Amino acid sequence: RLVPDHAEFVGEHGLFGHAKGVVGEVIDIPLIVMAAGKRGPLRVDGRRLASQVDIAPTVLSYLGLPIPPTWRGVPLQSRPEDAAGRLVYFQQNAEFGLVARGQDGRTWKYWIDTASDKEFAYDLDADAGEAKNRAGELDPADTSRWRRSLLPLEVLAREGPAR
């Protein structure tokens, strides 16, 4: 695959295969961009939140082509403020969530497991290994905003895809 949507467990957490969770080892996929040609290097701020939906706008922007207004992605070479307030979503079976910048300026990974009805929140700046669930410590404004934005994913996670 040129652009994978997730990784595979190869023994982490005692697991093997895929579709077994939303921990960083399987959803944090490195993006390596190589720009060749006369246009010069592609400059990207590696600290910004990114998703697969950003790949096509990044390529079009690099080539100087217009980005369709219906696309949700953001060119990775755009100014960081263009992606302010951005939410990056993920889902795997009964688990769904997002990565976002909180009111505190920190990068948070927030997700819900519909099988157990538990919430999870990790401060990725301080706890990249997702060791301490801080769901009970979140700013209520963040929690409320994030839950509202996740409603469509919750329906999919609870009911499964339409047949």
Side-chain angles (χ1 to χ4, degrees):
R1 292 179 287 196
L2 183 59
V3 182
D5 60 347
H6 60 80
E8 306 284 323
F9 280 109
V10 288
E12 300 89 351
H13 308 282
L15 299 170
F16 291 88
H18 69 280
K20 299 190 189 304
V22 294
V23 295
E25 290 94 339
V26 292
I27 68 167
D28 296 339
I29 307 302
L31 176 62
I32 300 169
V33 180
M34 294 177 61
K38 296 181 180 180
R39 290 190 159 271
L42 174 64
R43 303 219 188 281
V44 174
D45 181 353
R47 297 168 295 161
R48 64 184 304 147
L49 298 180
S51 175
Q52 278 188 315
V53 298
D54 301 325
I55 295 171
T58 298
V59 171
L60 288 182
S61 180
Y62 179 73
L63 296 173
L65 299 172
I67 298 167
T70 56
W71 286 10
R72 296 184 67 183
V74 177
L76 297 177
Q77 62 272 52
S78 63
R79 298 181 320 267
E81 58 269 18
D82 292 343
R86 180 123 195 256
L87 305 174
V88 175
Y89 299 97
F90 56 87
Q91 179 184 1
Q92 182 64 253
N93 298 324
E95 299 167 310
F96 64 96
L98 54 80
V99 176
R101 300 269 193 259
Q103 299 291 327
D104 57 6
R106 304 197 62 76
T107 305
W108 287 92
K109 179 178 179 183
Y110 173 77
W111 55 281
I112 299 169
D113 179 348
T114 60
S116 66
D117 279 326
K118 290 184 181 175
E119 291 179 89
F120 300 85
Y122 298 96
D123 175 350
L124 297 179
D125 296 324
D127 181 16
E130 301 174 29
K132 182 177 185 214
N133 182 2
R134 295 180 55 193
E137 303 171 32
L138 288 173
D139 182 313
D142 287 330
T143 306
S144 176
R145 178 172 56 102
W146 295 341
R147 283 183 185 151
R148 276 193 314 276
S149 77
L150 288 171
L151 286 175
L153 286 179
E154 182 172 9
V155 171
L156 287 174
R158 290 192 187 278
E159 298 177 6
R163 302 211 189 277

